[in-house]
């Protein structure tokens, strides 16, 4: 079944006219292309910016399991795909526990962020700690992988612990519909995206 929740990304970028887009977990660049094309409805291509982070070909089998992840394309493959959009593409290869803190000050404030890289609680927390420094009053941050109502607890992965601990005085949090469900050998994995903005 095709996941339905990704439509949220395009709807939010359209509604907010987001121009500076960041994605933690670029993967194969397919959703990046779609997000960029929506931004291009409002802006000339050369003014749209995409900042993509992934381990790309450096992702090991061990890290893939640890991060509950998927095997990405190579950096060169993604770069070639995204070059077709004619926008400004910036790709950063490596573990975001290192790369994000190294480059965030050179990126500055962004309009839209998808946090969808490593799915371990530690990596999601580290990604959030860096991304929150890039938020302005209008920045929208979308977390993927909020696991709800799993018949069997998914331990050590997902953003639910972090999201549920955010300070309600500082952030407005919205669990987004629709939810996607996937049958696993241990039960049903149910996934929502979550929208976070500053109050
Ligand atoms: C679920 S996929 C991302 C899907 C993509 N955002 C999309 O919408 O199609 C997760 C990606 O995060 C990357 N990743 C996993 N752990 C990472 C880490 N610690 N640092 C950087 N990238 C990581 C993986 O290589 C993989 O491409």
């Amino acid at each position: 079944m095709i996941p339905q929740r990704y439509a949220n990304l395009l709807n939010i970028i359209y509604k907010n006219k987001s121009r500076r887009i960041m994605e933690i977990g670029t993967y194969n660049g397919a959703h990046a292309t779609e997000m960029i094309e929506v931004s291009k409805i409002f802006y000339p291509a050369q003014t749209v910016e995409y900042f993509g982070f992934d381990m790309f070909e450096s992702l090991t089998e061990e890290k893939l399991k640890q991060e509950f992840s998927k095997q990405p394309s190579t950096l060169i493959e993604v770069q070639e795909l995204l070059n077709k959009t004619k926008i400004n593409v910036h790709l950063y290869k490596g573990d975001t526990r290192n790369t994000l803190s190294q480059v965030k000050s050179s990126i500055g404030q962004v309009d839209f962020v998808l946090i969808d890289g490593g799915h371990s609680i530690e990596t999601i927390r580290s990604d959030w700690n860096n991304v929150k420094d890039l938020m302005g009053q209008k920045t929208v941050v979308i977390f993927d992988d909020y696991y709800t109502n799993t018949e069997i607890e998914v331990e050590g992965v997902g953003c639910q612990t972090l999201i549920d601990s955010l300070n309600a005085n500082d952030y407005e949090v919205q669990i987004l519909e629709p939810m996607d469900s996937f049958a696993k050998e241990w039960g049903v994995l149910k996934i929502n995206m979550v929208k976070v903005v500053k109050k």
Side-chain angles (χ1 to χ4, degrees):
M1 204 185 76
I2 299 168
Q4 303 294 302
R5 70 190 186 285
Y6 286 95
N8 283 306
L9 307 178
L10 310 185
N11 290 338
I12 290 168
I13 290 173
Y14 185 86
K15 186 163 168 252
N16 293 292
K17 300 187 171 62
S18 308
R19 184 179 65 80
R20 307 192 83 224
I21 296 168
M22 175 181 278
E23 184 177 20
I24 315 286
T26 293
Y27 183 47
N28 61 10
H31 285 134
T33 304
E34 292 176 2
M35 294 191 283
I36 290 165
E37 290 303 331
V38 174
S39 185
K40 280 167 62 184
I41 294 171
F42 303 104
Y43 306 102
Q46 64 273 19
T47 67
V48 175
E49 290 179 277
Y50 172 84
F51 304 91
F53 291 80
D54 207 294
M55 295 192 67
F56 298 109
E57 61 273 22
S58 69
L59 185 77
T60 61
E61 200 59 42
E62 188 190 353
K63 187 79 173 164
L64 185 133
K65 286 201 188 101
Q66 184 190 328
E67 296 287 17
F68 201 56
S69 189
K70 300 198 283 193
Q71 191 64 49
S73 304
T74 65
L75 184 142
I76 264 295
E77 285 167 343
V78 173
Q79 184 76 58
E80 282 175 358
L81 177 71
L82 298 186
N83 282 348
K84 294 180 187 160
T85 65
K86 310 271 191 236
I87 68 140
N88 288 293
V89 174
H90 312 268
L91 297 178
Y92 304 90
K93 181 165 83 173
D95 192 325
T96 50
R97 293 201 215 182
N98 307 318
T99 54
L100 263 174
S101 61
Q102 286 162 5
V103 301
K104 67 179 174 186
S105 63
S106 69
I107 293 174
Q109 196 171 301
V110 289
D111 300 319
F112 178 92
V113 186
L114 170 60
I115 299 184
D116 188 19
H119 293 167
S120 66
I121 288 175
E122 295 78 15
T123 300
I124 293 173
R125 186 168 298 282
S126 165
D127 289 348
W128 166 245
N129 282 337
N130 286 304
V131 162
K132 67 185 180 190
D133 291 343
L134 306 178
M135 289 176 81
Q137 282 311 121
K138 291 189 176 163
T139 306
V140 176
V141 177
I142 301 294
F143 286 79
D144 195 16
D145 304 291
Y146 187 92
Y147 301 126
T148 39
N149 303 322
T150 47
E151 273 80 341
I152 298 173
E153 185 81 3
V154 182
E155 283 181 38
V157 291
C159 69
Q160 58 281 4
T161 315
L162 182 139
I163 292 292
D164 296 347
S165 73
L166 288 178
N167 189 332
N169 294 322
D170 297 332
Y171 299 102
E172 196 178 302
V173 174
Q174 188 187 354
I175 313 284
L176 300 174
E177 297 294 336
M179 179 179 72
D180 286 312
S181 302
F182 301 95
K184 298 281 179 187
E185 64 265 23
W186 45 260
V188 179
L189 180 63
K190 299 178 181 179
I191 311 178
N192 288 76
M193 285 184 175
V194 181
K195 178 181 168 193
V196 177
V197 292
K198 273 188 174 180
K199 271 197 169 158

PDB file of all heavy atoms in Angstrom, residues 6 23-28 31 53-56 59 63 67 69-70 72 94-96 114 116-119 123, ligand 1:
ATOM      1  N   TYR A   6       2.521  11.194   3.435  1.00  0.00           N
ATOM      2  CA  TYR A   6       3.478  12.123   2.804  1.00  0.00           C
ATOM      3  C   TYR A   6       2.805  13.313   2.128  1.00  0.00           C
ATOM      4  O   TYR A   6       3.456  14.324   1.865  1.00  0.00           O
ATOM      5  CB  TYR A   6       4.379  11.376   1.815  1.00  0.00           C
ATOM      6  CG  TYR A   6       5.407  10.530   2.523  1.00  0.00           C
ATOM      7  CD1 TYR A   6       5.167   9.183   2.763  1.00  0.00           C
ATOM      8  CD2 TYR A   6       6.588  11.084   2.987  1.00  0.00           C
ATOM      9  CE1 TYR A   6       6.085   8.407   3.446  1.00  0.00           C
ATOM     10  CE2 TYR A   6       7.517  10.315   3.669  1.00  0.00           C
ATOM     11  CZ  TYR A   6       7.257   8.982   3.896  1.00  0.00           C
ATOM     12  OH  TYR A   6       8.177   8.221   4.582  1.00  0.00           O
ATOM     13  N   GLU A  23      15.723  18.608   4.669  1.00  0.00           N
ATOM     14  CA  GLU A  23      15.255  17.236   4.906  1.00  0.00           C
ATOM     15  C   GLU A  23      16.367  16.445   5.582  1.00  0.00           C
ATOM     16  O   GLU A  23      17.466  16.330   5.041  1.00  0.00           O
ATOM     17  CB  GLU A  23      14.861  16.557   3.578  1.00  0.00           C
ATOM     18  CG  GLU A  23      14.271  15.169   3.771  1.00  0.00           C
ATOM     19  CD  GLU A  23      13.806  14.531   2.463  1.00  0.00           C
ATOM     20  OE1 GLU A  23      14.260  14.956   1.376  1.00  0.00           O
ATOM     21  OE2 GLU A  23      12.981  13.590   2.529  1.00  0.00           O
ATOM     22  N   ILE A  24      16.065  15.912   6.754  1.00  0.00           N
ATOM     23  CA  ILE A  24      16.995  15.018   7.443  1.00  0.00           C
ATOM     24  C   ILE A  24      16.589  13.614   7.006  1.00  0.00           C
ATOM     25  O   ILE A  24      15.505  13.146   7.376  1.00  0.00           O
ATOM     26  CB  ILE A  24      16.869  15.124   8.982  1.00  0.00           C
ATOM     27  CG1 ILE A  24      16.784  16.570   9.465  1.00  0.00           C
ATOM     28  CG2 ILE A  24      17.977  14.347   9.678  1.00  0.00           C
ATOM     29  CD1 ILE A  24      18.009  17.369   9.436  1.00  0.00           C
ATOM     30  N   GLY A  25      17.407  12.970   6.211  1.00  0.00           N
ATOM     31  CA  GLY A  25      17.050  11.661   5.637  1.00  0.00           C
ATOM     32  C   GLY A  25      16.545  11.828   4.211  1.00  0.00           C
ATOM     33  O   GLY A  25      15.372  11.633   3.908  1.00  0.00           O
ATOM     34  N   THR A  26      17.463  12.203   3.317  1.00  0.00           N
ATOM     35  CA  THR A  26      17.089  12.467   1.911  1.00  0.00           C
ATOM     36  C   THR A  26      16.712  11.185   1.175  1.00  0.00           C
ATOM     37  O   THR A  26      15.913  11.222   0.229  1.00  0.00           O
ATOM     38  CB  THR A  26      18.275  13.182   1.204  1.00  0.00           C
ATOM     39  OG1 THR A  26      18.423  14.474   1.788  1.00  0.00           O
ATOM     40  CG2 THR A  26      18.049  13.331  -0.269  1.00  0.00           C
ATOM     41  N   TYR A  27      17.305  10.053   1.581  1.00  0.00           N
ATOM     42  CA  TYR A  27      16.999   8.725   1.053  1.00  0.00           C
ATOM     43  C   TYR A  27      17.270   8.662  -0.454  1.00  0.00           C
ATOM     44  O   TYR A  27      18.403   8.716  -0.857  1.00  0.00           O
ATOM     45  CB  TYR A  27      15.566   8.362   1.449  1.00  0.00           C
ATOM     46  CG  TYR A  27      15.111   6.987   1.046  1.00  0.00           C
ATOM     47  CD1 TYR A  27      15.908   5.870   1.267  1.00  0.00           C
ATOM     48  CD2 TYR A  27      13.870   6.779   0.439  1.00  0.00           C
ATOM     49  CE1 TYR A  27      15.485   4.600   0.899  1.00  0.00           C
ATOM     50  CE2 TYR A  27      13.433   5.517   0.069  1.00  0.00           C
ATOM     51  CZ  TYR A  27      14.250   4.435   0.312  1.00  0.00           C
ATOM     52  OH  TYR A  27      13.827   3.180  -0.064  1.00  0.00           O
ATOM     53  N   ASN A  28      16.233   8.595  -1.296  1.00  0.00           N
ATOM     54  CA  ASN A  28      16.483   8.499  -2.744  1.00  0.00           C
ATOM     55  C   ASN A  28      16.157   9.796  -3.487  1.00  0.00           C
ATOM     56  O   ASN A  28      16.264   9.855  -4.717  1.00  0.00           O
ATOM     57  CB  ASN A  28      15.711   7.324  -3.355  1.00  0.00           C
ATOM     58  CG  ASN A  28      14.206   7.477  -3.195  1.00  0.00           C
ATOM     59  OD1 ASN A  28      13.729   8.536  -2.795  1.00  0.00           O
ATOM     60  ND2 ASN A  28      13.456   6.439  -3.499  1.00  0.00           N
ATOM     61  N   HIS A  31      10.946  12.186  -2.602  1.00  0.00           N
ATOM     62  CA  HIS A  31      10.088  13.155  -1.906  1.00  0.00           C
ATOM     63  C   HIS A  31      10.693  14.548  -1.944  1.00  0.00           C
ATOM     64  O   HIS A  31       9.977  15.551  -1.981  1.00  0.00           O
ATOM     65  CB  HIS A  31       9.811  12.707  -0.467  1.00  0.00           C
ATOM     66  CG  HIS A  31       8.825  11.572  -0.400  1.00  0.00           C
ATOM     67  ND1 HIS A  31       9.001  10.454   0.383  1.00  0.00           N
ATOM     68  CD2 HIS A  31       7.653  11.377  -1.051  1.00  0.00           C
ATOM     69  CE1 HIS A  31       7.977   9.629   0.215  1.00  0.00           C
ATOM     70  NE2 HIS A  31       7.154  10.152  -0.651  1.00  0.00           N
ATOM     71  N   PHE A  53      20.259  15.956   4.180  1.00  0.00           N
ATOM     72  CA  PHE A  53      21.241  15.249   5.015  1.00  0.00           C
ATOM     73  C   PHE A  53      20.968  13.752   4.961  1.00  0.00           C
ATOM     74  O   PHE A  53      19.825  13.313   5.128  1.00  0.00           O
ATOM     75  CB  PHE A  53      21.130  15.718   6.475  1.00  0.00           C
ATOM     76  CG  PHE A  53      21.594  17.129   6.691  1.00  0.00           C
ATOM     77  CD1 PHE A  53      20.767  18.195   6.378  1.00  0.00           C
ATOM     78  CD2 PHE A  53      22.849  17.392   7.216  1.00  0.00           C
ATOM     79  CE1 PHE A  53      21.183  19.504   6.568  1.00  0.00           C
ATOM     80  CE2 PHE A  53      23.283  18.692   7.423  1.00  0.00           C
ATOM     81  CZ  PHE A  53      22.455  19.754   7.095  1.00  0.00           C
ATOM     82  N   ASP A  54      22.040  12.991   4.755  1.00  0.00           N
ATOM     83  CA  ASP A  54      21.893  11.531   4.779  1.00  0.00           C
ATOM     84  C   ASP A  54      23.284  10.919   4.894  1.00  0.00           C
ATOM     85  O   ASP A  54      24.286  11.576   4.613  1.00  0.00           O
ATOM     86  CB  ASP A  54      21.225  11.024   3.491  1.00  0.00           C
ATOM     87  CG  ASP A  54      20.478   9.718   3.706  1.00  0.00           C
ATOM     88  OD1 ASP A  54      21.137   8.691   3.987  1.00  0.00           O
ATOM     89  OD2 ASP A  54      19.237   9.701   3.634  1.00  0.00           O
ATOM     90  N   MET A  55      23.307   9.654   5.273  1.00  0.00           N
ATOM     91  CA  MET A  55      24.592   8.950   5.267  1.00  0.00           C
ATOM     92  C   MET A  55      24.901   8.450   3.864  1.00  0.00           C
ATOM     93  O   MET A  55      26.028   8.049   3.576  1.00  0.00           O
ATOM     94  CB  MET A  55      24.564   7.812   6.285  1.00  0.00           C
ATOM     95  CG  MET A  55      24.430   8.359   7.703  1.00  0.00           C
ATOM     96  SD  MET A  55      24.713   7.165   8.994  1.00  0.00           S
ATOM     97  CE  MET A  55      26.439   6.829   8.798  1.00  0.00           C
ATOM     98  N   PHE A  56      23.876   8.418   3.000  1.00  0.00           N
ATOM     99  CA  PHE A  56      24.035   7.933   1.633  1.00  0.00           C
ATOM    100  C   PHE A  56      24.810   6.603   1.658  1.00  0.00           C
ATOM    101  O   PHE A  56      24.508   5.746   2.488  1.00  0.00           O
ATOM    102  CB  PHE A  56      24.686   8.996   0.734  1.00  0.00           C
ATOM    103  CG  PHE A  56      23.845  10.254   0.616  1.00  0.00           C
ATOM    104  CD1 PHE A  56      24.234  11.445   1.225  1.00  0.00           C
ATOM    105  CD2 PHE A  56      22.645  10.228  -0.091  1.00  0.00           C
ATOM    106  CE1 PHE A  56      23.459  12.594   1.116  1.00  0.00           C
ATOM    107  CE2 PHE A  56      21.865  11.380  -0.199  1.00  0.00           C
ATOM    108  CZ  PHE A  56      22.263  12.548   0.406  1.00  0.00           C
ATOM    109  N   LEU A  59      26.195   4.476   4.811  1.00  0.00           N
ATOM    110  CA  LEU A  59      25.346   3.787   5.807  1.00  0.00           C
ATOM    111  C   LEU A  59      25.725   2.307   5.851  1.00  0.00           C
ATOM    112  O   LEU A  59      25.617   1.608   4.846  1.00  0.00           O
ATOM    113  CB  LEU A  59      23.862   3.936   5.439  1.00  0.00           C
ATOM    114  CG  LEU A  59      22.879   3.363   6.458  1.00  0.00           C
ATOM    115  CD1 LEU A  59      22.726   4.296   7.652  1.00  0.00           C
ATOM    116  CD2 LEU A  59      21.511   3.127   5.834  1.00  0.00           C
ATOM    117  N   LYS A  63      24.444   0.127  11.138  1.00  0.00           N
ATOM    118  CA  LYS A  63      23.796   1.418  11.391  1.00  0.00           C
ATOM    119  C   LYS A  63      22.350   1.386  10.874  1.00  0.00           C
ATOM    120  O   LYS A  63      21.437   1.947  11.481  1.00  0.00           O
ATOM    121  CB  LYS A  63      24.611   2.521  10.689  1.00  0.00           C
ATOM    122  CG  LYS A  63      24.160   3.920  10.999  1.00  0.00           C
ATOM    123  CD  LYS A  63      24.663   4.419  12.342  1.00  0.00           C
ATOM    124  CE  LYS A  63      24.326   5.870  12.543  1.00  0.00           C
ATOM    125  NZ  LYS A  63      24.445   6.286  13.936  1.00  0.00           N
ATOM    126  N   GLU A  67      19.299   2.230  13.286  1.00  0.00           N
ATOM    127  CA  GLU A  67      18.472   3.412  13.005  1.00  0.00           C
ATOM    128  C   GLU A  67      17.103   3.026  12.443  1.00  0.00           C
ATOM    129  O   GLU A  67      16.340   3.891  12.025  1.00  0.00           O
ATOM    130  CB  GLU A  67      19.180   4.356  12.022  1.00  0.00           C
ATOM    131  CG  GLU A  67      20.477   4.963  12.548  1.00  0.00           C
ATOM    132  CD  GLU A  67      20.257   6.043  13.602  1.00  0.00           C
ATOM    133  OE1 GLU A  67      19.160   6.118  14.170  1.00  0.00           O
ATOM    134  OE2 GLU A  67      21.210   6.816  13.853  1.00  0.00           O
ATOM    135  N   SER A  69      16.264   1.807   9.686  1.00  0.00           N
ATOM    136  CA  SER A  69      16.301   2.660   8.499  1.00  0.00           C
ATOM    137  C   SER A  69      16.070   1.896   7.204  1.00  0.00           C
ATOM    138  O   SER A  69      15.733   0.707   7.207  1.00  0.00           O
ATOM    139  CB  SER A  69      17.664   3.374   8.460  1.00  0.00           C
ATOM    140  OG  SER A  69      17.683   4.344   7.468  1.00  0.00           O
ATOM    141  N   LYS A  70      16.251   2.605   6.094  1.00  0.00           N
ATOM    142  CA  LYS A  70      16.140   2.040   4.752  1.00  0.00           C
ATOM    143  C   LYS A  70      17.446   2.357   4.023  1.00  0.00           C
ATOM    144  O   LYS A  70      18.107   3.354   4.323  1.00  0.00           O
ATOM    145  CB  LYS A  70      14.982   2.687   3.990  1.00  0.00           C
ATOM    146  CG  LYS A  70      13.629   2.491   4.650  1.00  0.00           C
ATOM    147  CD  LYS A  70      12.481   2.738   3.695  1.00  0.00           C
ATOM    148  CE  LYS A  70      12.215   4.187   3.449  1.00  0.00           C
ATOM    149  NZ  LYS A  70      10.919   4.457   2.773  1.00  0.00           N
ATOM    150  N   PRO A  72      19.716   3.921   1.486  1.00  0.00           N
ATOM    151  CA  PRO A  72      19.550   5.078   0.593  1.00  0.00           C
ATOM    152  C   PRO A  72      20.296   4.923  -0.729  1.00  0.00           C
ATOM    153  O   PRO A  72      21.130   4.038  -0.886  1.00  0.00           O
ATOM    154  CB  PRO A  72      20.180   6.213   1.401  1.00  0.00           C
ATOM    155  CG  PRO A  72      21.229   5.529   2.218  1.00  0.00           C
ATOM    156  CD  PRO A  72      20.741   4.138   2.513  1.00  0.00           C
ATOM    157  N   GLY A  94      26.873  12.027   5.856  1.00  0.00           N
ATOM    158  CA  GLY A  94      27.435  11.657   7.161  1.00  0.00           C
ATOM    159  C   GLY A  94      26.327  11.531   8.192  1.00  0.00           C
ATOM    160  O   GLY A  94      25.157  11.815   7.920  1.00  0.00           O
ATOM    161  N   ASP A  95      26.739  11.097   9.363  1.00  0.00           N
ATOM    162  CA  ASP A  95      25.801  10.926  10.478  1.00  0.00           C
ATOM    163  C   ASP A  95      25.356  12.310  10.956  1.00  0.00           C
ATOM    164  O   ASP A  95      26.205  13.143  11.299  1.00  0.00           O
ATOM    165  CB  ASP A  95      26.523  10.166  11.604  1.00  0.00           C
ATOM    166  CG  ASP A  95      25.579   9.686  12.681  1.00  0.00           C
ATOM    167  OD1 ASP A  95      24.598  10.395  12.963  1.00  0.00           O
ATOM    168  OD2 ASP A  95      25.840   8.618  13.242  1.00  0.00           O
ATOM    169  N   THR A  96      24.059  12.554  11.001  1.00  0.00           N
ATOM    170  CA  THR A  96      23.582  13.889  11.399  1.00  0.00           C
ATOM    171  C   THR A  96      23.920  14.215  12.851  1.00  0.00           C
ATOM    172  O   THR A  96      23.846  15.375  13.250  1.00  0.00           O
ATOM    173  CB  THR A  96      22.058  14.032  11.200  1.00  0.00           C
ATOM    174  OG1 THR A  96      21.414  12.916  11.812  1.00  0.00           O
ATOM    175  CG2 THR A  96      21.707  14.141   9.736  1.00  0.00           C
ATOM    176  N   LEU A 114      11.863  18.527   7.385  1.00  0.00           N
ATOM    177  CA  LEU A 114      11.360  17.177   7.620  1.00  0.00           C
ATOM    178  C   LEU A 114      12.436  16.412   8.381  1.00  0.00           C
ATOM    179  O   LEU A 114      13.557  16.263   7.884  1.00  0.00           O
ATOM    180  CB  LEU A 114      11.058  16.468   6.288  1.00  0.00           C
ATOM    181  CG  LEU A 114      10.744  14.971   6.386  1.00  0.00           C
ATOM    182  CD1 LEU A 114       9.498  14.705   7.258  1.00  0.00           C
ATOM    183  CD2 LEU A 114      10.556  14.353   5.004  1.00  0.00           C
ATOM    184  N   ASP A 116      13.429  13.005   9.311  1.00  0.00           N
ATOM    185  CA  ASP A 116      13.088  11.640   8.875  1.00  0.00           C
ATOM    186  C   ASP A 116      14.374  10.870   8.569  1.00  0.00           C
ATOM    187  O   ASP A 116      14.465  10.154   7.580  1.00  0.00           O
ATOM    188  CB  ASP A 116      12.189  11.743   7.618  1.00  0.00           C
ATOM    189  CG  ASP A 116      11.610  10.407   7.201  1.00  0.00           C
ATOM    190  OD1 ASP A 116      11.581   9.485   8.032  1.00  0.00           O
ATOM    191  OD2 ASP A 116      11.185  10.298   6.041  1.00  0.00           O
ATOM    192  N   GLY A 117      15.394  11.056   9.410  1.00  0.00           N
ATOM    193  CA  GLY A 117      16.670  10.367   9.199  1.00  0.00           C
ATOM    194  C   GLY A 117      16.741   9.116  10.048  1.00  0.00           C
ATOM    195  O   GLY A 117      15.917   8.221   9.928  1.00  0.00           O
ATOM    196  N   GLY A 118      17.752   9.054  10.929  1.00  0.00           N
ATOM    197  CA  GLY A 118      17.847   7.921  11.841  1.00  0.00           C
ATOM    198  C   GLY A 118      16.642   7.888  12.765  1.00  0.00           C
ATOM    199  O   GLY A 118      16.179   8.931  13.227  1.00  0.00           O
ATOM    200  N   HIS A 119      16.133   6.686  13.034  1.00  0.00           N
ATOM    201  CA  HIS A 119      14.910   6.577  13.817  1.00  0.00           C
ATOM    202  C   HIS A 119      15.152   6.177  15.263  1.00  0.00           C
ATOM    203  O   HIS A 119      14.193   5.956  16.010  1.00  0.00           O
ATOM    204  CB  HIS A 119      13.945   5.588  13.148  1.00  0.00           C
ATOM    205  CG  HIS A 119      13.438   6.081  11.833  1.00  0.00           C
ATOM    206  ND1 HIS A 119      12.772   5.275  10.930  1.00  0.00           N
ATOM    207  CD2 HIS A 119      13.497   7.294  11.272  1.00  0.00           C
ATOM    208  CE1 HIS A 119      12.458   5.987   9.865  1.00  0.00           C
ATOM    209  NE2 HIS A 119      12.880   7.214  10.043  1.00  0.00           N
ATOM    210  N   THR A 123      19.172   9.617  17.994  1.00  0.00           N
ATOM    211  CA  THR A 123      19.418  10.401  16.782  1.00  0.00           C
ATOM    212  C   THR A 123      18.309  11.426  16.570  1.00  0.00           C
ATOM    213  O   THR A 123      18.578  12.585  16.221  1.00  0.00           O
ATOM    214  CB  THR A 123      19.547   9.466  15.550  1.00  0.00           C
ATOM    215  OG1 THR A 123      20.642   8.594  15.784  1.00  0.00           O
ATOM    216  CG2 THR A 123      19.788  10.255  14.276  1.00  0.00           C
TER     217      THR A 123
HETATM  218  C1  LIG B   1      13.156   6.565   6.116  1.00  0.00           C
HETATM  219  S1  LIG B   1      14.487   7.093   5.153  1.00  0.00           S
HETATM  220  C2  LIG B   1      14.057   8.723   4.699  1.00  0.00           C
HETATM  221  C3  LIG B   1      12.893   8.797   3.745  1.00  0.00           C
HETATM  222  C4  LIG B   1      12.763  10.134   3.048  1.00  0.00           C
HETATM  223  N1  LIG B   1      12.736  11.255   3.974  1.00  0.00           N
HETATM  224  C5  LIG B   1      11.516  10.149   2.207  1.00  0.00           C
HETATM  225  O1  LIG B   1      10.597  10.916   2.493  1.00  0.00           O
HETATM  226  O2  LIG B   1      11.443   9.375   1.261  1.00  0.00           O
HETATM  227  C6  LIG B   1      15.714   7.391   6.372  1.00  0.00           C
HETATM  228  C7  LIG B   1      17.022   7.908   5.791  1.00  0.00           C
HETATM  229  O3  LIG B   1      17.817   8.382   6.860  1.00  0.00           O
HETATM  230  C8  LIG B   1      19.168   8.021   6.650  1.00  0.00           C
HETATM  231  N2  LIG B   1      19.813   7.921   7.962  1.00  0.00           N
HETATM  232  C9  LIG B   1      19.603   6.988   8.929  1.00  0.00           C
HETATM  233  N3  LIG B   1      20.327   7.254  10.011  1.00  0.00           N
HETATM  234  C10 LIG B   1      21.013   8.404   9.755  1.00  0.00           C
HETATM  235  C11 LIG B   1      21.933   9.199  10.490  1.00  0.00           C
HETATM  236  N4  LIG B   1      22.266   8.886  11.746  1.00  0.00           N
HETATM  237  N5  LIG B   1      22.455  10.290   9.883  1.00  0.00           N
HETATM  238  C12 LIG B   1      22.112  10.625   8.627  1.00  0.00           C
HETATM  239  N6  LIG B   1      21.228   9.918   7.882  1.00  0.00           N
HETATM  240  C13 LIG B   1      20.691   8.824   8.435  1.00  0.00           C
HETATM  241  C14 LIG B   1      19.120   6.702   5.886  1.00  0.00           C
HETATM  242  O4  LIG B   1      20.270   6.548   5.092  1.00  0.00           O
HETATM  243  C15 LIG B   1      17.842   6.861   5.047  1.00  0.00           C
HETATM  244  O5  LIG B   1      18.120   7.313   3.749  1.00  0.00           O
END
